[in-house]
Amino acid sequence: MRLTIRVCPRSARTSVGGGFPASAAEASGEPSTQEPTAADDPTGGGPSDATAPLVVRVTAPAVDGRATESALRALATAFGVRRREVVLVRGATSRMKIVEIGGRPESALRGRLAELTTTPKK
């Protein structure tokens, strides 16, 4: 399963969950992911998860790829797969990244993604 993530380095704690609003991405200068073209579609034409990137907060700084590696490890833990099953596809030096997650059936991964993106009721 491919998905778009937004890495937030130097956070108080490591966490995976929530969405990053597209309007905030535009305001911060990040590329918009609301309407990807067919060539830019990270899902290969399937249902798009790109409208709200999954937020991955990590304590590591964005230096020498440490935040990226921490984010990939956090994703592996959150989805219950081995680290080697989480592959960076695009965005090694960007906060917005596209990753490929394997190691489990796609339905299980999509279910876990749904759990991570839903906000708890107050």
Side-chain angles (χ1 to χ4, degrees), residues 5-38:
I5 64 168
R6 175 169 169 72
V7 178
C8 298
R10 292 191 184 255
S11 294
R13 64 178 177 251
T14 298
S15 67
V16 177
F20 187 76
S23 59
E26 291 168 5
S28 68
E30 297 290 336
S32 174
T33 56
Q34 277 190 325
E35 297 179 25
T37 63

Side-chain angles (χ1 to χ4, degrees), residues 2 4 33 35-50 90 98:
R2 270 191 189 190
T4 303
T33 56
E35 297 179 25
T37 63
D40 293 334
D41 187 6
T43 61
S48 178
D49 293 330
R90 189 181 337 165
I98 297 176

Side-chain angles (χ1 to χ4, degrees), residues 14-115:
T14 298
S15 67
V16 177
F20 187 76
S23 59
E26 291 168 5
S28 68
E30 297 290 336
S32 174
T33 56
Q34 277 190 325
E35 297 179 25
T37 63
D40 293 334
D41 187 6
T43 61
S48 178
D49 293 330
T51 56
L54 182 66
V55 176
V56 181
R57 293 173 181 84
V58 295
T59 58
V63 176
D64 297 330
R66 288 190 275 174
T68 298
E69 181 57 33
S70 292
L72 297 178
R73 275 189 269 119
L75 280 172
T77 301
F79 281 90
V81 298
R82 293 185 173 131
R83 164 57 187 93
R84 68 177 180 234
E85 300 291 343
V86 181
V87 178
L88 180 66
V89 175
R90 189 181 337 165
T93 59
S94 173
R95 289 180 189 223
M96 299 293 280
K97 301 179 185 305
I98 297 176
V99 296
E100 179 83 33
I101 302 175
R104 292 179 65 191
E106 180 137 357
S107 59
L109 293 173
R110 292 225 175 258
R112 182 63 180 139
L113 178 61
E115 290 172 13

